[in-house]
Amino acid sequence: MDNKHKSGFISIVGRPNVGKSTFLNRVIGQKIAIMSDKPQTTRNKIQGVLTTNDSQMVFIDTPGIHKPKHKLGDFMIKMATNTFREVDLILFMVNVDEGYGRGDEYIMELLQGVKTPVFLVLNKIDTVHPDELLPVIDQYRSKFNFTETVPISALEGNNVEVLLNQISEYLPEGPQYYPADQVTDHPERFIISELIREKALHLTREEIPHSIAVSIEQIKKEKGREVIDIMATIVVERDSQKGIVIGKRGAMLKEIGQRAREDIENLLGSKVYLELWVKVQKDWRNKANSLRDFGFNDKEY
């Protein structure tokens, strides 16, 4: 192996909805992080792996950092800030369209004293005039001593290569941690549950807040059959939410299932039969047992 092979772990942090998952999906070239225009859709650290001829970058997409309101929120913040000590580089991503906010201030306070290099990544530059960019950059740089500043559009792909080259320069020499064809270290079961949750959030819009979890009950492929059978339960906190997710004569649930199935088939490269159920589990976001059941395991972080 070339002695100059570089590798390292990169944490992507920022307020909810600044485009972290869009960036990760753009870089990896495959859908591994769920995207939604609702804040707070990423709940677990999602590791995306980008392997090139001379480097391997392992990206950790943390939940959008905000002041927590419940146990799930506490868990998400703890998980995001824990990554600061574990990584080789931190990308602090901001949405230039929204500009500087108190949420950014809160994150920069959490970053104070961190010895890891921190890049300021200004996302969504396709939505503003170039003249508007410099004052925004100045405002952020006056509050924190960033190692580098890179404006990008994760959606359009502008400057993403430039950012990747900059990241590579700061990574230490190191081994290839994952096989070249591996794009994530999350089990497929987790990604499938995230894809179903994405569709449920997207289709129910404002009616269902973040009180949706998805539990995969079963994934099996019978001998001689080309189809993978998947059984999953969408968990909500209230009876009224259950009605919304099911929809009139089951129309909403059917639509969620159809859209999720297409993404799952792309992920698995196989035909899928997806069976969805909906159940109510009151106040699950404040119950430690429920959080563990849905994969939010404190001990892993």
Side-chain angles (χ1 to χ4, degrees):
M1 186 187 278
D2 189 323
N3 287 336
K4 296 226 173 125
H5 186 275
K6 290 183 155 195
S7 59
F9 292 79
I10 302 108
S11 180
I12 314 168
V13 300
R15 277 192 285 170
N17 206 25
V18 294
K20 298 184 295 292
S21 298
T22 308
F23 168 74
L24 189 59
N25 291 335
R26 157 77 57 184
V27 168
I28 307 305
Q30 193 171 327
K31 195 165 190 176
I32 61 166
I34 79 167
M35 293 187 291
S36 162
D37 54 6
K38 287 185 173 188
Q40 270 331 103
T41 44
T42 304
R43 287 191 187 144
N44 274 289
K45 293 193 296 188
I46 294 181
Q47 294 194 305
V49 185
L50 176 66
T51 305
T52 66
N53 290 336
D54 54 7
S55 71
Q56 188 169 71
M57 303 176 194
V58 185
F59 290 94
I60 301 169
D61 175 21
T62 58
I65 296 177
H66 64 301
K67 291 203 170 166
K69 293 178 185 150
H70 40 57
K71 271 201 171 75
L72 175 59
D74 283 333
F75 171 80
M76 290 160 83
I77 299 306
K78 188 176 168 196
M79 199 167 60
T81 53
N82 276 355
T83 65
F84 297 167
R85 296 188 298 274
E86 301 165 359
V87 296
D88 301 288
L89 186 68
I90 297 167
L91 303 182
F92 173 41
M93 191 174 285
V94 302
N95 176 357
V96 291
D97 198 22
E98 284 180 2
Y100 186 81
R102 285 181 66 181
D104 294 322
E105 214 164 282
Y106 177 59
I107 295 166
M108 285 190 275
E109 281 170 22
L110 294 173
L111 286 168
Q112 291 296 343
V114 168
K115 292 180 170 60
T116 312
V118 181
F119 283 16
L120 173 64
V121 179
L122 300 113
N123 191 22
K124 309 195 185 184
I125 56 169
D126 52 302
T127 61
V128 298
H129 191 275
D131 293 346
E132 296 171 43
L133 205 51
L134 281 172
V136 177
I137 291 173
D138 288 342
Q139 191 171 19
Y140 281 99
R141 291 194 70 99
S142 70
K143 311 276 184 189
F144 191 91
N145 186 20
F146 292 102
T147 313
E148 298 284 352
T149 301
V150 189
I152 67 160
S153 167
L155 192 63
E156 304 290 330
N158 308 359
N159 252 12
V160 170
E161 276 303 316
V162 172
L163 175 57
L164 292 175
N165 289 335
Q166 290 271 55
I167 290 168
S168 180
E169 282 182 32
Y170 280 85
L171 291 184
E173 286 184 28
Q176 188 174 300
Y177 293 103
Y178 297 96
D181 59 354
Q182 187 170 339
V183 296
T184 181
D185 75 342
H186 265 309
E188 286 168 342
R189 181 178 284 261
F190 171 80
I191 301 173
I192 290 166
S193 72
E194 286 288 87
L195 291 172
I196 296 167
R197 195 163 68 89
E198 175 189 43
K199 304 308 173 204
L201 282 170
H202 177 70
L203 287 166
T204 55
R205 305 298 304 172
E206 301 308 316
E207 297 174 284
I208 301 279
H210 288 275
S211 47
I212 285 184
V214 175
S215 168
I216 305 296
E217 313 297 337
Q218 183 181 299
I219 300 176
K220 68 172 186 181
K221 187 176 181 186
E222 287 178 10
K223 247 185 169 176
R225 281 187 77 220
E226 290 305 303
V227 181
I228 296 171
D229 292 312
I230 299 173
M231 215 165 119
T233 303
I234 297 173
V235 181
V236 293
E237 287 188 320
R238 294 197 294 276
D239 291 318
S240 58
Q241 293 168 347
K242 180 178 179 178
I244 292 165
V245 172
I246 292 172
K248 206 171 180 182
R249 293 184 184 156
M252 178 61 80
L253 192 61
K254 188 178 177 186
E255 182 72 10
I256 291 167
Q258 281 175 344
R259 293 198 190 186
R261 184 175 49 78
E262 287 172 21
D263 274 359
I264 296 165
E265 286 180 342
N266 287 335
L267 174 76
L268 301 179
S270 170
K271 283 274 177 213
V272 165
Y273 173 72
L274 177 63
E275 191 175 341
L276 292 179
W277 300 83
V278 185
K279 87 173 177 191
V280 178
Q281 201 160 315
K282 291 189 175 16
D283 203 27
W284 69 263
R285 286 182 295 177
N286 273 317
K287 291 177 182 164
N289 283 350
S290 298
L291 291 175
R292 275 196 299 276
D293 289 347
F294 301 132
F296 309 119
N297 187 352
D298 233 351
K299 291 185 175 59
E300 288 179 20
Y301 303 97

